[in-house]
Amino acid sequence: MEKPQGVDWTVIILTCQYKDSVQVFQRELEVRQKREQISAGTLILAVEDPETQVGSGGATLNALLVAAEHLSARAGFTVVTSDVLHSAWILILHMGRDFPFDDCGRAFTCLPVENPQAPVEAVVCNLDCLLDIMSHRLSLFFDILLCMARNVNRQDFLAGRPPEMCQRDTCVEGYLQGARAELWKELHDQPLTIAYIPDGSYSFMTNSATEFLHNLTCLGAPEPQVVHSQVEESELLASGSSVVSCLLEGPIHLEPGSVLQHCHLQGPIHIGTGCFVSGLDTTQSEALQGLELHDLVLQGHHVKLRDAPSRAFTLVGRLDSWERQGVGTYLNMSWSEFFQKTGIRDYDLWDPDVPAADRCLRTARLFPVFHPSRALGPKDMLWMLGPQDSGGAALRGWRASWRLSWEQLQPCLDRAATLASRRNLFFRQALCKARQVLEARQDLSLRPLIQAAIHEGCAGPLLTTLDQVAASAGDPGVAARSLACVADVLGCMAEGLGGLRSGPAANPEWLRPFSHLECGDLARGVKALAQERDKWLSRPALLVRAARHYEGAGQILIRQAVMSAQHFISKEQVELPVPGHWVVVKCPARVDFSGGWSDTPPLAYELGGAVLGLAVRVDGRQPMGARARRIPEPELWLAVGPRQDKMTLKIVCRSLEDLQDYCQPHAPGALLKAAFICVGIVSISSKLPLRDQLLCTFGAGFELHTWSELPHGSGLGTSSILAGAALAALYRVVGQAVGTEALIHAVLYLEQVLTTGGGWQDQVGGLMPGIKVGRSQAQLPLKVEVEEITVPEGFVQTLNDHLLLVYTGKTRLARNLLQDVLRSWYARLPAVVQNAHSLVQHTEKCAEAFRQGNLPMLGQCLTLYWEQKKLMAPGCEPLAVRRMMDVLAPHVHGQSLAGAGGGGFLYLLTKKPKQKEAVEAVLAKTEGLGNYSVHLVEVDTQGLSLQLLGVEASP
């Protein structure tokens, strides 16, 4: 049902019995409101009961009064008015009487469940489940049952929203509306009847330990439930057991039907069946060693005795009753058996004037809370389980202690300390998890943990842990991911303020730590980064800039990892060309059909890449190339142009200073300068001037031209293929021949020197002929291997007849897309990790479609591939491109933007052959497409070609 007009507030009130608990619980509620992103239109309050024995009716009236006070103030009234209650949905949750299995009550009892999709990592308690239901999920009454009612029509049902659902974003409401539509379709015509169940009962979180353990364990489960915990020897946990928010070190056996919560224990420890153990730390581990507990509830409590913090420990049996009754059990035995076994007498537990009917577990002074000469521990209770107390020492120590009954203990419980202790333990195990995930290279996202640390004010310890992992990493991949996680912490600390994460990382204050990393001194580099980071934490703008520099530091480590590809650059000495004679290299473009992004470092060596690409001619031409020759002047002449016979940019380098911007990708001629350095013609760090280097080694200077007939940002691999052409020309002009596979690795190296990054699919696609799959393994050094795909006879011509290129008129911004993808990959966002694996797997299916010569199947591959690209890099599909793809969809088997997307060329696999004019006609009728153009494209079966030409010859 839809909220009536004027209903502006959802109010959730948690009533509690103890005054000191109100502030503690209010903080917990506010943390959850922020963590779950519950709207500002929802008011969440913790309210103290007016009297201890007021009952649920009086507590409800008091809660309504408090709600009226808050809503009246929000509405601008100066006095309380009940009218405001008519404009609010109000849910009152009574904490009820004391709960024997959690000091913070039923609402905050933790559950053995974990939400892997949660944006913030946290232990889940009953209250969290309720808030989640109110925020997202379908309601039994207002969704499932309502659609079966007779007087409800479809339109009203779909438009409505359940009253318990808080205001959320539109995507959630859209999801709910779709779910309600499906419910209406399936259930509306079903008859709704009500059945009475004789002697039926509903039991929810009773005081029975047996029922409580049953709710927290799943005895039929094949594996133990381990949630938000780090367990060194998990094989010792039996199926049907449960571990929540624990840190377990050493051998700890946990038998079926038993539960551990909020414990930091050190083995060897054996906990048998039917046990609940909570709130213990390493100082109490020794007391458990050598024992085997069965059917027991052992809890550690934080208490305040006359404002002094202390610890107390309680031990009861699983079968013991918490009800007030004269007969009962303790430690699963009758009181008489207990007295006989331990030597304890009834006068130790109850005053003489206590009636027999009131002598029960709740009122028995069993639990020591203070000893005059020593600290208390579990041993002060566990001695009752053993054989007869030898010499009576344990009994005397127990009698010498100040003891309280369970009822007397409740007002002394320090719930603030309890929640703080749980929070600290959660983050201790979380830091262990972060270290393990990074060092073991696990595909688990730390983003929710980072968000949790920031929400709870624990960012400092997390940063320290990430620093330690990065500094001690023997693998550049582990170190780079750790630095990326630091960047994530800093970015999240900015809370969406301070500007965009993507941006420059060139502040001179960070040069010192960068220089350590460049020199390979990882430990000093990480330490210097942390020292500099401390100066940038004061406001969001500085946090974002610090995050950029940490990403820049990560790029240095990626660069060093990728440079390992130079191991596979093999060269052969050949005869030098005649001075003045040109070495001319021409190359096709490339079109990627599957697997793109998997070739991008670090994915290429952490996940392993597989990309299927085609070398293609555009409008019948190989659209790019390079030429080089030796010249008499000891200088470097560089030229760049749109065509081989038209150079629009000319640069002369006469000194090393002229080459210093080789690592700035947007500097004029930077790619050509980097090529001279990578081939070894010039050493930028040499003390010899450029003139002397050229004369001493070659006795000449060099002239290098590159050209591309394709527009900037085409998506067809232009820059990488041009780099390959330039390298091939320079290697040959200095008397060295390199194979195409060596050239692929040389381009990888060059692009790291140039600092553009990027993967290997462009040079594989454009330097090698035809249809092929490039692959790299998940290892370093990075090596690329290429497999040629054999297709049926005549299929290449068929493909040429059905393949078209459409230039969208939109310039692609690959670098921004690359930064976003790398950030998501390092965060190991589940959707990105799954999609990356799918890209690699899909490449093999696409290769099979080529082997079969199946055009419709290839079209399906293209369509899926484009969806994968959009998942990998959201925002890569401009609106004008989407409009273009929509109008072309009826005419094609499949289509995708080339490369990373965002603009550039769209390639089509048409249903009918030779459809250039038809496609042009369709696009001409569509408004708002901009300056597009349609081009013929065909598979290039030659790949890179190299020629030696004379001085005057026209290449």
Side-chain angles (χ1 to χ4, degrees), residues 103-168:
D103 290 350
C104 297
R106 291 172 172 84
F108 294 98
T109 298
C110 294
L111 305 175
V113 296
E114 190 169 6
N115 180 7
Q117 305 301 323
V120 181
E121 189 162 321
V123 174
V124 177
C125 65
N126 283 309
L127 179 61
D128 298 312
C129 291
L130 177 65
L131 293 176
D132 185 65
I133 290 171
M134 296 183 67
S135 302
H136 300 100
R137 293 178 186 175
L138 295 171
S139 162
L140 170 64
F141 296 101
F142 292 100
D143 290 299
I144 297 175
L145 297 183
L146 185 63
C147 75
M148 303 167 70
R150 293 180 180 176
N151 61 339
V152 177
N153 62 56
R154 184 177 186 275
Q155 183 178 356
D156 290 342
F157 177 71
L158 295 185
R161 56 197 305 274
E164 76 272 26
M165 193 186 93
C166 306
Q167 291 283 349
R168 302 289 291 188

Side-chain angles (χ1 to χ4, degrees), residues 786-799:
V786 183
E787 175 194 0
E788 181 183 353
I789 302 300
T790 303
V791 299
E793 186 176 355
F795 181 69
V796 169
Q797 184 56 50
T798 301
L799 191 62

Side-chain angles (χ1 to χ4, degrees), residues 100-357:
F101 310 115
D102 196 296
D103 290 350
C104 297
R106 291 172 172 84
F108 294 98
T109 298
C110 294
L111 305 175
V113 296
E114 190 169 6
N115 180 7
Q117 305 301 323
V120 181
E121 189 162 321
V123 174
V124 177
C125 65
N126 283 309
L127 179 61
D128 298 312
C129 291
L130 177 65
L131 293 176
D132 185 65
I133 290 171
M134 296 183 67
S135 302
H136 300 100
R137 293 178 186 175
L138 295 171
S139 162
L140 170 64
F141 296 101
F142 292 100
D143 290 299
I144 297 175
L145 297 183
L146 185 63
C147 75
M148 303 167 70
R150 293 180 180 176
N151 61 339
V152 177
N153 62 56
R154 184 177 186 275
Q155 183 178 356
D156 290 342
F157 177 71
L158 295 185
R161 56 197 305 274
E164 76 272 26
M165 193 186 93
C166 306
Q167 291 283 349
R168 302 289 291 188
D169 56 40
T170 54
C171 68
V172 173
E173 293 197 22
Y175 148 75
L176 285 175
Q177 191 174 64
R180 288 162 73 90
E182 193 65 23
L183 285 173
W184 182 272
K185 173 184 173 183
E186 298 293 334
L187 298 179
H188 178 62
D189 294 330
Q190 298 295 322
L192 175 62
T193 58
I194 297 176
Y196 170 70
I197 304 174
D199 301 322
S201 64
Y202 175 66
S203 176
F204 173 68
M205 296 194 73
T206 67
N207 288 343
S208 164
T210 298
E211 292 185 10
F212 178 68
L213 287 170
H214 177 75
N215 291 335
L216 294 186
T217 57
C218 184
L219 291 176
E223 300 290 338
Q225 295 170 288
V226 180
V227 177
H228 299 299
S229 301
Q230 294 300 301
V231 182
E232 281 189 0
E233 300 186 34
S234 57
E235 68 276 7
L236 301 181
L237 306 181
S239 60
S241 63
S242 169
V243 179
V244 179
S245 192
C246 290
L247 193 54
L248 306 183
E249 302 170 352
I252 296 179
H253 292 258
L254 187 63
E255 298 296 338
S258 289
V259 176
L260 284 177
Q261 288 192 350
H262 315 297
C263 289
H264 183 182
L265 300 177
Q266 293 176 335
I269 292 174
H270 195 140
I271 297 174
T273 57
C275 291
F276 177 70
V277 181
S278 175
L280 304 186
D281 58 36
T282 53
T283 58
Q284 287 102 45
S285 294
E286 184 181 355
L288 300 179
Q289 294 172 0
L291 298 177
E292 184 171 342
L293 308 182
H294 288 280
D295 298 322
L296 294 169
V297 177
L298 174 61
Q299 299 179 82
H301 308 270
H302 290 268
V303 298
K304 270 191 176 181
L305 304 175
R306 297 177 181 174
D307 294 329
S310 184
R311 295 296 310 275
F313 302 89
T314 59
L315 179 68
V316 298
R318 179 176 63 85
L319 303 177
D320 297 344
S321 171
W322 288 93
E323 302 304 320
R324 277 185 172 272
Q325 54 188 19
V327 293
T329 62
Y330 181 59
L331 298 182
N332 305 313
M333 65 185 87
S334 67
W335 285 107
S336 58
E337 289 178 280
F338 171 72
F339 292 151
Q340 182 179 2
K341 179 176 183 178
T342 62
I344 294 174
R345 298 293 177 257
D346 58 353
Y347 57 76
D348 291 316
L349 305 181
W350 300 284
D351 292 333
D353 56 349
V354 175

Side-chain angles (χ1 to χ4, degrees), residues 356-372:
D358 290 339
R359 297 191 175 192
C360 62
L361 178 55
R362 282 184 170 275
T363 60
R365 292 191 300 269
L366 281 162
F367 311 116
V369 295
F370 177 77
H371 192 280

Side-chain angles (χ1 to χ4, degrees), residues 904-952:
F905 276 95
L906 174 70
Y907 50 99
L908 322 171
L909 195 62
T910 62
K911 293 179 179 178
K912 297 180 181 179
K914 303 185 183 302
Q915 290 291 291
K916 183 175 184 290
E917 290 77 11
V919 167
E920 288 174 333
V922 170
L923 296 178
K925 298 175 183 177
T926 307
E927 296 181 355
L929 296 185
N931 188 25
Y932 67 88
S933 57
V934 183
H935 303 265
L936 295 173
V937 61
E938 61 187 78
V939 176
D940 180 278
T941 57
Q942 182 180 9
L944 177 146
S945 63
L946 185 148
Q947 291 179 289
L948 300 179
L949 300 178
V951 178
E952 301 299 332

Side-chain angles (χ1 to χ4, degrees), residues 734-862:
V734 297
Q736 295 179 337
V738 293
T740 311
E741 291 196 3
L743 207 54
I744 289 169
H745 295 89
V747 174
L748 271 173
Y749 184 81
L750 180 146
E751 291 187 328
Q752 300 309 313
V753 171
L754 186 60
T755 71
T756 54
W760 44 254
Q761 68 148 311
D762 295 344
Q763 57 266 37
V764 170
L767 301 183
M768 301 197 75
I771 305 165
K772 61 270 173 183
V773 173
R775 296 184 181 89
S776 61
Q777 301 299 316
Q779 63 187 33
L780 291 174
L782 177 56
K783 182 179 183 181
V784 183
E785 297 176 310
V786 183
E787 175 194 0
E788 181 183 353
I789 302 300
T790 303
V791 299
E793 186 176 355
F795 181 69
V796 169
Q797 184 56 50
T798 301
L799 191 62
N800 294 341
D801 291 340
H802 289 263
L803 201 56
L804 283 176
L805 284 177
V806 179
Y807 182 62
T808 63
K810 303 291 182 183
T811 300
R812 168 178 147 274
L813 300 175
R815 187 167 180 83
N816 289 342
L817 291 175
L818 175 62
Q819 288 178 320
D820 291 340
V821 169
L822 295 190
R823 194 174 296 132
S824 299
W825 170 253
Y826 271 136
R828 292 302 196 275
L829 300 183
V832 171
V833 172
Q834 181 180 357
N835 193 45
H837 284 279
S838 297
L839 282 165
V840 174
Q841 295 162 6
H842 179 61
T843 294
E844 306 306 329
K845 296 179 181 178
C846 188
E848 184 57 31
F850 271 105
R851 292 186 185 101
Q852 294 179 15
N854 190 325
L855 281 180
M857 187 183 296
L858 284 175
Q860 294 173 9
C861 290
L862 270 187

